[in-house]
Amino acid sequence: MNRIFLKSMAVAFSSLAASVLLALIIVPAIGGSIDGNAWLMLTICPLAIAWPASAFTFWQGEKLKRAHGDLARAHAELADAHAKLEEKSRRDPMTGMLNRETFFAALDRSRRKSDRGALLIIDADHFKKINDSFGHLTGDKALLEIAAAISRAVRSGDILGRIGGEEFAAFLMGASDQEAIRVAERVRHEVELIRFQPMDERVVPLTVSIGGTICRSEANVSELMRAADKHLYEAKNRGRNLAIFDVHAAA
């Protein structure tokens, strides 16, 4: 408010000065003279008109500036909320990993950039037994433990997703055959090390079976999934807690 008052006062006195200056130039030029009443009008009118008019204008300008600032902040908050909502829609709400749709979209984009890499499908062993014995809340805790173990075992930059109830997937960007086998075995071993004690009872072993495949340049996402699933079923049929990768196996 003080700033508006000072600015409008400056405008009013500038108007007064301009009024007096013009009168001193123009009136004598046309053969007239400035008497006392004229001087009074020259001083009062600019002050009476310019001061309130400029004060109102500056006040309106400040209101518009504040409104613009509020609108800009609201827009930024809306954009931030939209970004968070979009990110949330891409994630599995429990584990924070990419959800099924987003994982396969990311896999497809990565395949367009590079032919090298490997796909792992990771499935928790005997998970229905945990749910049936201890309840689904305990089962969720077990899944969180498994998801954390998988995250620890993979490399930085690898893409992780939860693609089913107890099924996870990892795309190992640029991994060679041997790198992929090492990561798959590391995942299996990291899960095996978990000491899961539901409801303060005995330790319940957690293990996963893993099927993996090298990403051939001509293979699409569906073909890669079928190949990895095939090896996953083989790991399940061979006793579980295995990582089978194409024709190789790590146990």
Side-chain angles (χ1 to χ4, degrees):
M1 185 60 70
N2 287 338
R3 184 172 59 179
I4 293 174
F5 176 81
L6 292 174
K7 287 170 67 175
S8 60
M9 183 173 68
V11 170
F13 280 101
S14 296
S15 300
L16 171 62
S19 175
V20 171
L21 181 62
L22 287 172
L24 290 175
I25 295 172
I26 295 173
V27 172
I30 62 176
S33 62
I34 305 172
D35 58 17
N37 290 330
W39 281 113
L40 189 62
M41 294 297 294
L42 286 173
T43 55
I44 292 178
C45 286
L47 293 177
I49 296 172
W51 202 328
S54 60
F56 179 76
T57 302
F58 289 136
W59 177 66
Q60 289 289 80
E62 287 293 324
K63 282 182 64 178
L64 285 173
K65 188 185 296 185
R66 286 196 297 270
H68 184 270
D70 292 341
L71 185 61
R73 282 191 296 273
H75 185 271
E77 290 171 1
L78 184 62
D80 183 58
H82 182 269
K84 288 178 179 177
L85 185 61
E86 184 178 8
E87 178 64 17
K88 187 176 180 179
S89 71
R90 298 173 67 248
R91 298 282 173 178
D92 170 56
M94 186 172 72
T95 64
M97 291 182 176
L98 297 179
N99 58 30
R100 182 183 180 89
E101 180 181 352
T102 307
F103 174 82
F104 287 122
L107 173 58
D108 187 54
R109 286 195 302 272
S110 298
R111 295 281 293 137
R112 295 170 193 265
K113 295 177 182 178
S114 172
D115 290 336
R116 294 191 61 191
L119 175 65
L120 305 181
I121 304 298
I122 306 158
D123 190 77
D125 295 328
H126 304 295
F127 197 74
K128 185 177 184 301
K129 184 177 179 181
I130 294 176
N131 279 335
D132 291 345
S133 300
F134 303 104
H136 288 277
L137 288 178
T138 299
D140 288 349
K141 292 179 182 178
L143 280 179
L144 286 171
E145 294 268 12
I146 292 171
I150 295 170
S151 298
R152 291 193 299 269
V154 298
R155 307 164 311 162
S156 174
D158 290 337
I159 302 172
L160 295 177
R162 183 186 179 197
I163 60 173
E166 61 268 12
E167 195 170 58
F168 302 88
F171 178 60
L172 313 180
M173 306 247 327
S176 65
D177 298 29
Q178 293 304 313
E179 282 179 307
I181 291 171
R182 284 195 295 271
V183 172
E185 174 57 20
R186 197 158 62 232
V187 169
R188 186 201 65 78
H189 183 64
E190 193 73 28
V191 173
E192 191 179 38
L193 290 176
I194 297 171
R195 292 184 57 81
F196 184 61
Q197 293 180 275
M199 302 173 65
D200 298 325
E201 297 185 22
R202 61 182 175 81
V203 173
V204 174
L206 297 178
T207 61
V208 292
S209 297
I210 303 171
T213 185
I214 287 293
C215 297
R216 305 182 310 279
S217 59
E218 71 279 4
N220 59 36
V221 171
S222 296
E223 291 169 334
L224 294 175
M225 275 295 295
R226 283 194 292 270
D229 269 336
K230 176 184 175 183
H231 300 307
L232 173 63
Y233 293 138
E234 184 181 349
K236 293 286 188 182
N237 292 332
R238 286 176 54 179
R240 294 178 168 82
N241 194 23
L242 290 172
I244 296 182
F245 203 97
D246 285 332
V247 295
H248 305 287

